[in-house]
Structure formats: structure tokens, C-alpha cells
Amino acid sequence: MNVKRVRLRYCTAAAVLSFFSSLLVHADSPMAAHDFFADGGLVVTEASYPYAETARQMIRAQALAGQVNRFVHRPELTPTADQPVVRMNRDSYYSSAVVDVSQGATVTLPEVPEGKYLSMQPVTEDHRTQPMSYGGGTYQLATHTGSHVYVIVRLDATFSSEEVQRYQAAMRIEAASSKAFSSEPVNKDSFYAVESALKAKRFELLKSYGPDILSRSMFTAPTDESRAFFVPEIHQVASAAGWGGAQVRDNVYELTPNLPAEGCYQATFEDPGNDAFWSFTVYDRSGFMFDDVANVNSELAAPNDDGSYTVSLGCDAGAVNRIPIENASGVFNVTVRHYRPSSRVIEGYRLAPSIEKVQP
């Protein structure tokens, strides 16, 4: 493979499209994940990072599957020792696939019991997130750019291991073309330097835009009404700090700043009434789970006598709905997720502001 070196020093649309067209290569066989980085590879900028990170995730998923148009299933909740993407969680079981949609493709999902969570989310090559589809059925796939999409399927965490394996085995992909996704190599140093800079911007954006605008603008698509909230710098940060996240109509995310990982924090709040569920997940400074007990969600949490909930962060071992916070980075942060959020949440009701330190 010939290596092309492109130095993008500015962020015009033409420059980003030039990077994107240089990045993509059509191939008859999958590119090996270890070949993605090369010293003389494409130089990454903040504007081109969403394309580069999506290419990296597609190549990794395709390599795990062994080919395009094939699911990789995770029949266990995300283990601490294997977190391929920042801010993964244990709210659902994951299946993923890279699909060639150039000549048409569909995903078929099995029927699950009423009230259980099953979603399918396509992500395009420029990291624009399409709306989710829910429940069993056959769903067409399409894209506004490139020829492939990354498909994420989430399955209810309350299913047994046997049920999960049965439902995952019933998932099907039908595609008229099976060209592997590939790309030109990327310069590793520039990639990780840009990634670190974008992650550091997350809290600046929270202050600049506020939680509501930030949440609405993180994950959008140019093909539906979410495009009205697209902000390039938020899109870039979202690609680094939460690749593969969902649109507001499907998930609302609340992000806290880093907090000292000592003492006891608690959040007490009214049930937001989501159509699916809510969850609290704790991460270290870099955005990774560090303890096997990393989250609490409304499907399993114990309510208070008045129907409200209390989530304990740190605190004594017997604290209600407790999540450990001590970790090597010395700080922790929380992502609150609302799956199929209620109108109350979409209109601004938030749980994270109720987090308070109750013991030093």
C-alpha cells in the first residue's frame, strides 16, 4: 500500500474532504488493525479526527469479525480489561458490524419481549450518528457519504447469558456488495496528540455551550432534524470523548467534570420516567471504567420509600446503589445516560446536578 502524507494546516470543508478521500481505500480483503498506524501516514488534525477515528474503529471491528458484513457479538457485559472505546458501559450487551451499503443492505433483528431493550444504530464514515431503530424487524441501511456504515446493536442487560446468545445468534446482515473497508495508514503521533487535545476540550465546551446544547450537538446526522444542532467543534470532541454515541432522541447524556476520588458523594432525584431506563457510570480521568462495579441503572437500582432514587458514589460499603470511585488517576467523572428519554428529560430535567459530596 502506498503511503500518502497530507499536512492539513487549516479546517476548511475542502481540506477535510481531501483528507477523507485520501483516507478511504476499497479493498478485496480487510486491512489488518496493526497496519492502521504508520510513521509516514496521514497527519491528523482536529477537523479530520472524526474520519480517522471512525476508520480505526471500522478496521478494528472488521478485523475482529474476519470480514465485512459480519457481526461481532459480546455475550458478556463490557469487562474492565477490554474497553475498545472510551466511555463504554455495562447497560447493555453489544454487537457490532461494518457493513458495505454501496449496493443496498439490511439488518434483521429478532423479536424480544415487550418492555425489553433492543436497539440498532448506524454510524457513518464521518462519525455522524443516524437515529436508532428499536425491537425486532428488518431495517434498511444507507449512508450520505462513503460506502460503509458501522452498526451498533444494544441488547437489554437484564437478559440471561443464554438469552443473550440466542438473540445475538438470530441477528442477520444481508448486503448486495461485500467489499472490505480499508484506509490509508494514519500518523500515530498526530492521531493521539489530537485525541488528547480534543478530550481536554470537553469541559471547556460544557462551560461555553451549557449542558443542553452540548448534549444535543454531540451526535447528529445531516439527513434528519438533528442537523440543526450540528457544531463542528462539538462533533470533533464527541468523536474523541464518546465515539459511537446516540442522538438526543435516543439517548441523553449528562457529563460531570472530574471530581476528587475520595469521600462520599450522593445523588437523590425523582425518577425521570424514561421510556427505557437511566444509568450512572463512573470513569477515570481518561474515560475508562476501572472497577467491575462501574454503574447503577434503573432496571436494577433499589428505590427509596417515596419512589425517588439515591445513587452513592464512593461511600461506605453498605450505601444504597453504591459505585466505587477510588482509582489510580485520583479523580472520577460520571456519565448519566437516559435511554429513550422522556419528554421531561428532553426538555431539560437532569440528574447530575443532584450529585453532592456528603462526606469528606
Side-chain angles (χ1 to χ4, degrees), residues 140-345:
Q140 291 187 338
L141 299 175
T143 182
H144 63 275
T145 187
S147 55
H148 292 73
V149 297
Y150 189 111
V151 172
I152 305 169
V153 178
R154 297 173 174 91
L155 190 62
D156 201 304
T158 62
F159 283 125
S160 68
S161 177
E162 292 76 13
E163 289 173 321
V164 169
Q165 292 180 57
R166 184 171 73 250
Y167 287 128
Q168 289 180 335
M171 298 175 187
R172 296 285 182 268
I173 296 171
E174 298 290 338
S177 176
S178 58
K179 290 184 179 179
F181 176 85
S182 193
S183 80
E184 291 285 354
V186 163
N187 177 269
K188 186 175 182 178
D189 289 343
S190 69
F191 179 92
Y192 283 113
V194 168
E195 182 176 78
S196 295
L198 288 173
K199 286 181 178 179
K201 277 188 174 183
R202 182 165 65 95
F203 301 120
E204 295 176 21
L205 295 182
L206 188 60
K207 294 178 182 178
S208 299
Y209 290 94
D212 290 341
I213 295 177
L214 184 62
S215 181
R216 290 179 181 273
S217 300
M218 288 180 71
F219 307 104
T220 65
T223 51
D224 59 57
E225 64 271 18
S226 70
R227 64 184 178 273
F229 301 103
F230 177 73
V231 177
E233 64 177 339
I234 296 179
H235 173 236
Q236 294 157 18
V237 168
S239 301
W243 188 91
Q247 290 191 17
V248 163
R249 70 170 76 183
D250 298 304
N251 284 10
V252 167
Y253 303 97
E254 302 181 52
L255 310 176
T256 74
N258 287 323
L259 300 168
E262 57 186 13
C264 172
Y265 302 76
Q266 287 188 321
T268 298
F269 50 87
E270 295 179 5
D271 187 345
N274 295 324
D275 289 344
F277 55 95
W278 55 260
S279 73
F280 280 60
T281 303
V282 169
Y283 301 95
D284 65 13
R285 186 187 297 274
S286 298
F288 292 98
M289 297 180 288
F290 51 83
D291 194 285
D292 288 341
V293 180
N295 77 315
V296 166
N297 66 52
S298 55
E299 294 185 307
L300 301 173
N304 299 321
D305 291 341
D306 62 0
S308 67
Y309 287 88
T310 296
V311 173
S312 302
L313 307 166
C315 312
D316 297 332
V320 63
N321 302 321
R322 177 180 181 269
I323 311 173
I325 61 173
E326 292 185 9
N327 69 88
S329 74
V331 299
F332 76 100
N333 55 80
V334 181
T335 297
V336 180
R337 293 176 173 86
H338 300 266
Y339 291 79
R340 305 196 74 174
S342 64
S343 58
R344 184 183 184 189
V345 170

Side-chain angles (χ1 to χ4, degrees), residues 59-60 72 94 96 113 134 136 146 204 246 293 335 342-343 348 356:
I59 289 166
R60 175 186 291 174
V72 173
Y94 285 87
S96 60
Y134 294 100
E204 295 176 21
V293 180
T335 297
S342 64
S343 58
E356 296 180 346

